[in-house]
Amino acid sequence: MSNALKDYTTVVTKVQKKGRGQMGTVWKSEAGKNLTFSVLKHFNTLNVDHQFHLNIAVSLALHTVLTDLNIPNVKVKWPNDIMSGSKKICGILIENVLNGSLVKKSVIGIGLNVNQASFNNLDKASSLSLLSGRTFDLDYVLKLILEKIKAFLDTLEQISAFDMKTNYESHLFRKDQVSTFKKQDGELVPGIIRGVSEEGKLIVELEDEIFTQYSFKEVSLQF
């Protein structure tokens, strides 16, 4: 069925009961208060080795829209959460269909906290409304996001990967600050985020100026 769907076909749900995030986490959203939607994008020449560029483009699109809406201190928390200060306001989950060495198509799932006022025990979560003191029109915000995603993705296969990655790195959450990272075995290590690799791995400077790279599943940022 999806082969017959056009580029940027978007499915929006007002009630999401089984939202998924990275590594099996759950995205909880209050009905009618937030934006939870998925966007289909086909590609012709996007190499598998460059699939993280898609994460970068979508993150930059959201960063641009939220900054234009005067949401304060918008940052990208690697690999693909959007933060305002120390509060998480948006999650992105991208699933790619591959054909040999190329990305054939992608489904871009986005959950954005817009008008939700309470997050119970989720002390690190917030919404556009809580951060700005305003109530937002969901359709208007969705329109802005879809327009900006299209603008970024339409040029993804032609744009300079270096320039795009540099832009992404300039907005990284806690970049160049001492942070704590939790490894798969539970070990906590201090380090400083310095950037991301071409493959989307997080580049972290450890003690004694030792640089290492972590994939999504190898480490989580504890702030």
Side-chain angles (χ1 to χ4, degrees):
M1 288 293 293
S2 61
N3 288 332
L5 297 177
K6 296 181 179 180
D7 253 3
Y8 302 110
T9 294
T10 302
V11 176
V12 184
T13 176
K14 293 185 177 180
V15 180
Q16 181 166 282
K17 296 181 178 179
K18 295 183 179 180
R20 292 186 297 126
Q22 287 286 348
M23 298 172 61
T25 57
V26 177
W27 181 268
K28 296 182 179 179
S29 178
E30 187 176 337
K33 296 293 183 69
N34 305 311
L35 285 173
T36 49
F37 60 99
S38 296
V39 181
L40 175 68
K41 179 70 178 83
H42 295 274
F43 294 100
N44 295 316
T45 61
L46 182 60
N47 194 282
V48 170
D49 293 339
H50 299 153
Q51 58 186 309
F52 190 71
H53 294 175
L54 179 57
N55 296 61
I56 290 176
V58 174
S59 296
L60 289 176
L62 283 159
H63 183 280
T64 302
V65 170
L66 297 179
T67 299
D68 288 348
L69 289 173
N70 294 316
I71 303 304
N73 195 23
V74 180
K75 296 290 183 180
V76 180
K77 181 174 177 283
W78 176 88
N80 44 21
D81 287 338
I82 307 297
M83 311 287 290
S84 174
S86 61
K87 299 292 187 179
K88 178 177 176 178
I89 53 177
C90 181
I92 305 164
L93 180 64
I94 299 176
E95 297 182 314
N96 297 320
V97 176
L98 309 182
N99 182 12
S101 62
L102 297 177
V103 177
K104 183 179 179 182
K105 57 189 173 184
S106 299
V107 177
I108 303 157
I110 295 173
L112 175 65
N113 296 331
V114 182
N115 292 321
Q116 189 164 330
S118 175
F119 292 90
N120 297 322
N121 298 324
L122 300 176
D123 60 337
K124 292 180 179 178
S126 192
S127 67
L128 306 191
S129 180
L130 286 174
L131 291 162
S132 67
R134 294 178 285 151
T135 298
F136 292 83
D137 182 293
L138 294 179
D139 291 335
Y140 175 67
V141 175
L142 177 63
K143 176 177 177 290
L144 294 178
I145 293 172
L146 293 178
E147 287 176 349
K148 194 60 67 174
I149 285 177
K150 186 176 187 300
F152 272 88
L153 295 189
D154 276 351
T155 58
L156 178 63
E157 293 168 292
Q158 292 82 37
I159 198 170
S160 165
F162 176 81
D163 290 343
M164 189 168 61
K165 189 167 82 72
T166 300
N167 190 9
Y168 176 88
E169 290 176 326
S170 71
H171 300 306
L172 272 178
F173 178 64
R174 296 198 63 80
K175 184 175 185 288
D176 299 326
Q177 301 178 46
V178 177
S179 302
T180 300
F181 300 87
K182 186 176 183 179
K183 300 172 72 173
Q184 278 184 311
D185 61 5
E187 179 187 2
L188 298 177
V189 295
I192 303 173
I193 294 173
R194 294 305 190 191
V196 292
S197 71
E198 279 295 319
E199 300 78 25
K201 292 185 177 182
L202 190 67
I203 301 172
V204 178
E205 181 181 354
L206 303 177
E207 292 181 317
D208 301 323
E209 298 183 350
I210 296 174
F211 287 79
T212 189
Q213 297 183 12
Y214 293 110
S215 65
F216 300 160
K217 298 180 181 180
E218 290 179 324
V219 70
S220 59
L221 176 61
Q222 302 297 293
F223 293 38

